[in-house]
Amino acid sequence: MKKKKKMDINIIVQREMKKRKKIEKQIKKLEAKGLQLKPIDEIEGERSFMKTLDKRKRQTVPMSFEEGEERACLLKEWARYKRDQYVAETQAILRVQNAQRKALEELRKESMELYELAIQIDEKLIPFNRKGPVETPPIKGYVAADGEHLDTTKKFDK
């Protein structure tokens, strides 16, 4: 465990006072001006795009009743197809698992040795290589930050 760095009590008190003053200042600002909404850059959009917006807009063509019915039927047919595909895959997996279980039971009845060999995991079946350290070694002489950071928040006050 890393030994904590002893800090001067005056520095800690000054930091707390600085934080307290900052919060009090924010409270005073809110009381004076009220809650102000900040503009979002993404909402404004590009000026060149905004100028050509009327040219870019597509006209919506109303869909005929037959077209709507055809699309609904296609959607239902696709849903049935995907459901049937899922059921078929699930049943195939269950058949294979049942066959494997029955084969292992029969093998157990025949020979316990062969059964034990059959249930062992084959490490060569799927190759898996792992490289690198398990834990990162500590950096000598590194002093960890005490939690302060540089605030990069955009200010939109006038």
Side-chain angles (χ1 to χ4, degrees):
M1 189 171 243
K2 191 173 179 180
K3 187 177 176 183
K4 281 195 169 183
K5 187 178 170 183
K6 290 186 179 181
M7 294 187 67
D8 188 18
I9 295 174
N10 292 334
I11 294 175
I12 295 171
V13 170
Q14 285 177 349
R15 284 185 184 163
E16 289 177 7
M17 290 295 290
K18 193 174 184 181
K19 287 179 186 176
R20 186 176 293 138
K21 284 182 182 179
K22 187 176 181 182
I23 292 171
E24 288 173 358
K25 187 177 178 184
Q26 288 175 348
I27 291 171
K28 285 179 184 177
K29 253 188 190 178
L30 283 175
E31 288 173 351
K33 296 181 180 179
L35 185 63
Q36 291 182 339
L37 298 176
K38 297 179 182 178
I40 301 174
D41 293 337
E42 292 84 24
I43 290 176
E44 292 174 4
E46 283 187 44
R47 302 232 183 259
S48 60
F49 174 75
M50 297 303 273
K51 287 178 184 176
T52 60
L53 192 61
D54 55 332
K55 294 177 186 174
R56 294 171 178 260
K57 206 168 202 176
R58 293 183 185 179
Q59 293 180 355
T60 54
V61 179
M63 193 185 323
S64 67
F65 179 76
E66 292 80 20
E67 180 74 20
E69 287 294 314
E70 186 179 338
R71 287 186 183 188
C73 288
L74 279 172
L75 190 61
K76 288 179 183 178
E77 188 178 335
W78 177 252
R80 282 189 209 106
Y81 169 75
K82 291 305 280 183
R83 187 203 51 188
D84 293 344
Q85 183 183 21
Y86 169 75
V87 168
E89 287 176 358
T90 306
Q91 288 175 347
I93 290 170
L94 288 175
R95 278 195 304 271
V96 169
Q97 286 177 339
N98 287 334
Q100 184 182 26
R101 185 180 44 79
K102 287 179 185 177
L104 285 172
E105 288 173 5
E106 291 297 322
L107 189 60
R108 180 186 265 173
K109 290 177 186 175
E110 289 293 321
S111 170
M112 198 60 174
E113 273 178 27
L114 291 175
Y115 173 77
E116 290 295 329
L117 288 173
I119 62 171
Q120 286 181 353
I121 297 172
D122 186 7
E123 299 290 336
K124 296 177 185 173
L125 186 62
I126 300 174
F128 176 71
N129 296 326
R130 179 176 53 214
K131 295 179 181 177
V134 187
E135 195 173 306
T136 307
I139 301 170
K140 293 180 182 176
Y142 176 74
V143 179
D146 60 350
E148 289 191 20
H149 67 282
L150 180 64
D151 188 17
T152 58
T153 308
K154 291 183 180 179
K155 303 289 182 185
F156 295 101
D157 297 333
K158 290 183 179 179

